[in-house]
C-alpha cells in the first residue's frame, strides 16, 4: 500500500493562469474524491469518481474547474483562469467501492498571487 | 443534508492528561462516522470509524470514540495525551451510498509540557 500520491505538493501561480494537479490513488481503489480545504476549515467536497465516471460535482466546482479520471486510475484537477479565492489545499482521497473509509493524500497547496 | 459541528475550535491540554473532543452530527439515517487527524501541511489520517455494531470504537494511537444516537454525538477521547498528539482533529459524517464525507471545521489540540 503506497498510499495516495498528489503532485505537485505546492504550486504558486499568478492570477489568470491555468493550473493542473494530479492524484494517483491506491491502486485497487475504485472511488476517487477531490476536496478543498481553506485555512481553519475542514475539507469541503468538490467531486468524486467511480472508476472513470464522474458521479457528482459540488456547487463549489465552478465552470473554471474540471476534473478527469480517463482510465479509472489517476485523476487530474484543472483550474482555469485562477483567482485569489482559489488559494487553498486541494486534497485527493480514494476508497474501495464499499465498506472502506477514505484514504487521503498529502494535498497540493495552491497559492494564487 | 448531512452536517457536522465541532464546538471547540481550540483545546489546550497538559501532557499526560485526558482529552475529549466533541462532535455532533446531523444525518437523516444511521450515519457512518469518522475521526481524522491532520498534522501541519499534511493530509488527513484516519483515527477510527463507526459503521455499525458496538458503539464504542477503538482506533489508532490510543484513541477511542463513542457513538450516542440519542445525542447525535461521536466524541473522541484519549486517556493520556502525548506531545505528538498536537494536531488538528476533524470529525466527519459519511453518506451510506457514496461515502462522500462532510467534515466539521476541526479542533486544534495543543499539548503543553
Amino acid at each position: 500500500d503506497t498510499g495516495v500520491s498528489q503532485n505537485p505538493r505546492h504550486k504558486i501561480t499568478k492570477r489568470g493562469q491555468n493550473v493542473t494537479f494530479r492524484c494517483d490513488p491506491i491502486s485497487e481503489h475504485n472511488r476517487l474524491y477531490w476536496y478543498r480545504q481553506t485555512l481553519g476549515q475542514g475539507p469541503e467536497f468538490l467531486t468524486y469518481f467511480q472508476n472513470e465516471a464522474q458521479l457528482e460535482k459540488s456547487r463549489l466546482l465552478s465552470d473554471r474547474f474540471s476534473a478527469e479520471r480517463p482510465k479509472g486510475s489517476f485523476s487530474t484537477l484543472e483550474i482555469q483562469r485562477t483567482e485569489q479565492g482559489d488559494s487553498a489545499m486541494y486534497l485527493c482521497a480514494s476508497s474501495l467501492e464499499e465498506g472502506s473509509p477514505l484514504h487521503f493524500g498529502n494535498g497540493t497547496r495552491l497559492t494564487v498571487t | 443534508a448531512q452536517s457536522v459541528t465541532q464546538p471547540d475550535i481550540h483545546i489546550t491540554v497538559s501532557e499526560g492528561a485526558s482529552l475529549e473532543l466533541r462532535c455532533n452530527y446531523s444525518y437523516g439515517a444511521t450515519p457512518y462516522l469518522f475521526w481524522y487527524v491532520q498534522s501541519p501541511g499534511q493530509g488527513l489520517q484516519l483515527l477510527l470509524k463507526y459503521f455499525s455494531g458496538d458503539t464504542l470504537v477503538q482506533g489508532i494511537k490510543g484513541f477511542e470514540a463513542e457513538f450516542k444516537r440519542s445525542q447525535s454525538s461521536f466524541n473522541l477521547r484519549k486517556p493520556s495525551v502525548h506531545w505528538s498528539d498536537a494536531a488538528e482533529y476533524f470529525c466527519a459524517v459519511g453518506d451510506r451510498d457514496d461515502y462522500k464525507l462532510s467534515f466539521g471545521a476541526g479542533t486544534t489540540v495543543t499539548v503543553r509540557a
Side-chain angles (χ1 to χ4, degrees), chain B residues 2 4 15 20 25 27 29 44 53 56 61 66 72 75 78 81 83 85 94 101-102 104 113:
Chain B
Q2 60 212 48
V4 176
E15 191 170 15
E20 181 168 12
Y25 68 89
Y27 187 71
L44 284 77
L56 184 64
K61 303 185 180 185
E66 186 171 13
S72 297
N75 294 349
K78 185 170 184 177
V81 299
W83 64 266
D85 293 323
L101 299 185
S102 296

Side-chain angles (χ1 to χ4, degrees), chain B residues 68-82:
Chain B
K68 292 186 177 180
R69 184 188 305 274
S70 61
Q71 299 177 18
S72 297
S73 69
F74 189 57
N75 294 349
L76 182 72
R77 297 192 292 258
K78 185 170 184 177
S80 176
V81 299
H82 185 263

Side-chain angles (χ1 to χ4, degrees), chain B residues 84-97:
Chain B
S84 61
D85 293 323
E88 191 155 20
Y89 293 78
F90 293 96
C91 181
V93 60
D95 186 280
R96 283 186 173 262
D97 291 326

Side-chain angles (χ1 to χ4, degrees), chain A residues 48-96:
Chain A
Y48 91 97
F49 293 83
Q50 180 167 322
N51 299 313
E52 66 274 12
Q54 188 173 17
L55 296 186
E56 186 174 343
K57 297 197 297 185
S58 162
R59 284 173 293 179
L60 293 175
L61 214 64
S62 75
D63 291 344
R64 297 184 297 104
F65 288 70
S66 63
E68 294 182 344
R69 194 182 184 198
K71 297 182 180 179
S73 56
F74 73 91
S75 175
T76 58
L77 178 67
E78 180 183 16
I79 309 174
Q80 295 181 328
R81 305 181 304 281
T82 51
E83 301 173 356
Q84 287 188 323
D86 297 331
S87 296
M89 174 80 88
Y90 290 84
L91 293 165
C92 176
S94 68
S95 71
L96 290 171

Side-chain angles (χ1 to χ4, degrees), chain B residues 9-26:
Chain B
I9 296 173
H10 190 189
I11 287 180
T12 299
V13 61
S14 297
E15 191 170 15
S18 63
L19 174 68
E20 181 168 12
L21 304 181
R22 296 183 291 165
C23 171
N24 293 98
Y25 68 89
S26 173

